[in-house]
Amino acid sequence: MSHKKIKVLVIDDSALVRQILVEILRGAPDIEVVGTANDPFMARERIKETNPDVLTLDVEMPRMDGLTFLQNLMRLRPMPVVMISSLTERGADTTFKALELGAIDFVSKPKVDVAGTLAEFSEEILAKIRAAAGARVVGRSSPLTPAIVPKHSADAILAPAGVTAGAGPRRMLRTTDRIIAIGSSTGGTEAIREVLMGLPADCPAIVIAQHIPEAFSLPFTKRMDGLAAMSVVEPVDGQQIKTGHVYIAPGGKHLLVERDGARYLCRINDGPPVNRHRPSVDVLFRSVAQNVGPNAVGVILTGMGDDGARGLKEMRDAGAPTIAQDETTSVVWGMPGAAVKMGGVGDVLPLARVAEAIMRLSESVGAPAAVAMK
């Protein structure tokens, strides 16, 4: 075989979970399970013996918890880690701490019917391990992103501009209200945290689509609310969008922006997954392109796949300035890379410069309206 297999070490205190993970991984032709460990002490020995490319790590384990182990690992021997996390509030909190410490991504472990549900998520587990193998922590230039044919485009939720309204996109009046739309996936929870912490309390309203399991979206929102100067909420359908607020799409639902006279509203939609995701970044960006137009700023951050690339191009075509996170600071440069390739990006910037660019660009898009209104 010409391609080197991805060597994976499975660390979990549950013999059943270890067995299921090993079965899933052994079924993939490009992955080799090089060992298992039931606690971090055994894991240390196995890492020395097997030199794995990726670890799967349970967050809650005996003798030494997963976070302490992860912290030591990232200090002494950084390598890609995919967390296997429980669907509890405590599990969610631990998972976000693990992502802060340098874990690439996580797969949620169900509370009931572990065998049935983990097998169901085998595609997700394999995709995340492949992405982790090519992620930034090991300094490779290209992620091993699996080719997955999307089931639906954003058309399934919202018709393209011009389809319902006749010829071409409608002219968008400039208003003083700007909206910043952000989309991300793998590595995105950390990237979003960094961007939000760099923005002032009176920043224009922000709408976010982050690929995240349903059980984790509210804990993530609460965590961001505790860290950011802005107020961060998980919106309900029809909620008005206001300056100084961040609206994070609920897990398992699409978030759209709708214009209602001079106001903007959040619309929550439980239509089919788009690009296999719900929330989908393409859906959010398309709604912003159609309803906010040049009064918006589009931002695409780190993530696997290409969800959001088409939507960002639609935003740029509608007159909105757009930003993509650069390859060097992205955990996986799938989504931003696809957006750049598609011609939807105005500025490609390192993560540390995204917040400043958002403020600069949002001031420039709002300037004509501010002058006209006074």
Side-chain angles (χ1 to χ4, degrees):
M1 199 172 171
S2 56
H3 292 291
K4 194 167 79 74
K5 288 191 177 189
I6 300 163
K7 297 193 294 181
V8 180
L9 177 66
V10 173
I11 308 166
D12 202 297
D13 68 317
S14 159
L16 176 61
V17 173
R18 286 199 305 276
Q19 182 193 332
I20 293 162
L21 284 170
V22 167
E23 278 174 27
I24 289 169
L25 299 177
R26 282 193 176 144
D30 57 337
I31 291 172
E32 178 191 356
V33 179
V34 292
T36 64
N38 60 12
D39 68 33
F41 292 94
M42 190 189 288
R44 278 201 307 224
E45 298 312 307
R46 293 278 186 276
I47 288 168
K48 287 177 201 163
E49 289 163 17
T50 63
N51 191 26
D53 299 312
V54 179
L55 300 184
T56 72
L57 177 64
D58 186 12
V59 290
E60 293 165 350
M61 285 186 300
R63 294 177 73 197
M64 181 197 288
D65 71 85
L67 288 180
T68 309
F69 174 71
L70 185 65
Q71 199 162 12
N72 293 339
L73 181 76
M74 288 305 171
R75 193 167 42 94
L76 301 169
R77 191 175 179 195
M79 66 170 62
V81 175
V82 176
M83 305 302 291
I84 308 292
S85 170
S86 58
L87 282 169
T88 60
E89 197 154 324
R90 183 166 154 233
D93 193 49
T94 310
T95 302
F96 293 126
K97 284 179 187 153
L99 294 168
E100 281 176 28
L101 290 171
I104 299 296
D105 210 337
F106 67 96
V107 178
S108 47
K109 175 167 61 179
K111 282 183 280 194
V112 288
D113 186 21
V114 176
T117 321
L118 264 185
E120 229 174 78
F121 282 120
S122 60
E123 192 181 302
E124 182 192 2
I125 292 163
L126 293 171
K128 288 184 174 182
I129 282 170
R130 288 176 183 125
R136 195 56 46 204
V137 73
V138 290
R140 291 182 192 163
S141 58
S142 61
L144 303 169
T145 307
I148 297 172
V149 181
K151 289 179 183 167
H152 295 284
S153 74
D155 298 2
I157 307 297
L158 190 61
V163 170
T164 51
R170 57 201 164 102
R171 260 181 72 83
M172 194 72 58
L173 294 171
R174 285 196 180 273
T175 75
T176 47
D177 289 325
R178 282 94 76 207
I179 288 181
I180 290 109
I182 300 177
S184 55
S185 184
T186 313
T189 55
E190 275 308 285
I192 287 167
R193 180 175 75 94
E194 185 164 333
V195 171
L196 293 185
M197 286 178 75
L199 294 170
D202 62 350
C203 177
I206 297 177
V207 287
I208 296 176
Q210 158 72 34
H211 299 160
I212 199 163
E214 205 167 328
F216 285 82
S217 65
L218 192 55
F220 173 60
T221 301
K222 286 178 177 169
R223 192 169 178 78
M224 293 304 104
D225 188 47
L227 294 168
M230 299 174 78
S231 175
V232 185
V233 298
E234 193 172 275
V236 295
D237 189 52
Q239 187 164 348
Q240 188 176 343
I241 295 172
K242 295 179 177 175
T243 298
H245 286 69
V246 179
Y247 304 87
I248 299 180
K253 299 198 185 297
H254 294 300
L255 171 62
L256 295 87
V257 172
E258 186 178 271
R259 187 149 182 183
D260 177 27
R263 306 180 310 158
Y264 294 113
L265 307 176
C266 290
R267 282 288 166 218
I268 306 300
N269 178 297
D270 56 8
V274 167
N275 303 321
R276 295 184 182 264
H277 294 287
R278 191 175 56 208
S280 157
V281 182
D282 265 340
V283 169
L284 176 64
F285 284 179
R286 174 173 286 182
S287 75
V288 172
Q290 292 183 10
N291 293 292
V292 190
N295 303 315
V297 176
V299 183
I300 195 159
L301 302 174
T302 174
M304 181 169 66
D306 65 358
D307 185 33
R310 288 166 196 80
L312 197 71
K313 176 77 165 64
E314 289 175 18
M315 283 187 68
R316 195 177 190 199
D317 290 346
T322 56
I323 302 166
Q325 184 176 350
D326 71 359
E327 187 170 1
T328 308
T329 62
S330 292
V331 172
V332 178
W333 207 57
M335 284 163 52
V340 168
K341 220 173 278 180
M342 211 170 273
V345 177
D347 290 307
V348 180
L349 297 171
L351 184 61
R353 289 181 49 205
V354 170
E356 172 272 321
I358 284 171
M359 291 311 295
R360 176 171 46 79
L361 292 172
S362 63
E363 278 163 22
S364 70
V365 297
V371 172
M373 295 284 288
K374 280 175 184 169

